[in-house]
Amino acid sequence: MHGIKEKTNAIVPLENQKKVYTPTVGIQSMSYTPLIKCSWSAYSWAGIRLFTIYTKGYFGYDGTEVEAHHVDSWYTKGFLSVWQVSNFEEGGYNNGAGTYSEFYGRGNFHYGIEIDGIGIVLTDKYINLYVSGDKDGGYEGHITSS
């Protein structure tokens, strides 16, 4: 054999041959989605924006598992909006099996009447904005409310 040298417990590549990394069977490197920003807005009957909720993040995936990477979640109120927000949460969730993942922003959006710290809530909506990702790099935005 010409041009090959042997060393114990070492691989010596042939000259002018590119090194190609081949992962061990069952182990794949992670790929990542682009940064994803999802939003949802609520409007009055007159078409005036009341508030908008946002969530931002990305997913790592390898064809077998997916993991969420939450970056930020927030909300903005419309001009002269009387809506308030309580119990706002943001973060990510990874299914224990690794096949489902999401990042989210959620909370109670409400308005009412308040005088001297005593009030009545007229409308209260729990809004959950989330982006789900799968093991193949697919993702989709969702909104649920109650």
Side-chain angles (χ1 to χ4, degrees), residues 41-103:
S41 296
Y43 292 88
S44 73
W45 59 270
I48 298 169
R49 186 177 69 87
L50 303 172
F51 59 87
T52 302
I53 183 171
Y54 303 87
T55 190
K56 183 167 53 171
Y58 61 96
F59 296 99
Y61 62 96
D62 66 4
T64 304
E65 294 182 342
V66 61
E67 58 185 32
H69 297 273
H70 173 260
V71 174
D72 195 12
S73 294
W74 68 99
Y75 59 88
T76 58
K77 295 193 292 183
F79 182 69
L80 297 176
S81 178
V82 296
W83 286 78
Q84 300 296 314
V85 181
S86 60
N87 303 321
F88 192 77
E89 299 177 336
E90 59 181 295
Y93 167 77
N94 295 315
N95 174 298
T99 56
Y100 176 82
S101 195
E102 67 183 42
F103 56 89

Side-chain angles (χ1 to χ4, degrees), residues 1-127:
M1 292 187 178
H2 183 66
I4 298 177
K5 297 180 181 179
E6 291 184 30
K7 288 186 179 180
T8 307
N9 296 326
I11 298 172
V12 179
L14 296 173
E15 281 194 32
N16 299 325
Q17 183 179 359
K18 292 181 180 179
K19 288 185 179 182
V20 177
Y21 173 72
T22 304
T24 307
V25 175
I27 299 175
Q28 299 179 15
S29 62
M30 279 279 186
S31 296
Y32 295 92
T33 64
L35 188 62
I36 304 158
K37 180 180 173 186
C38 186
S39 66
W40 182 83
S41 296
Y43 292 88
S44 73
W45 59 270
I48 298 169
R49 186 177 69 87
L50 303 172
F51 59 87
T52 302
I53 183 171
Y54 303 87
T55 190
K56 183 167 53 171
Y58 61 96
F59 296 99
Y61 62 96
D62 66 4
T64 304
E65 294 182 342
V66 61
E67 58 185 32
H69 297 273
H70 173 260
V71 174
D72 195 12
S73 294
W74 68 99
Y75 59 88
T76 58
K77 295 193 292 183
F79 182 69
L80 297 176
S81 178
V82 296
W83 286 78
Q84 300 296 314
V85 181
S86 60
N87 303 321
F88 192 77
E89 299 177 336
E90 59 181 295
Y93 167 77
N94 295 315
N95 174 298
T99 56
Y100 176 82
S101 195
E102 67 183 42
F103 56 89
Y104 59 84
R106 58 190 177 207
N108 290 85
F109 290 76
H110 51 87
Y111 75 90
I113 300 169
E114 183 175 326
I115 299 171
D116 294 329
I118 299 171
I120 298 172
V121 174
L122 298 175
T123 299
D124 186 16
K125 293 284 186 187
Y126 179 75
I127 306 291

Side-chain angles (χ1 to χ4, degrees), residues 122-138:
L122 298 175
T123 299
D124 186 16
K125 293 284 186 187
Y126 179 75
I127 306 291
N128 181 19
L129 176 67
Y130 64 100
V131 178
S132 61
D134 66 29
K135 62 185 178 57
D136 297 316

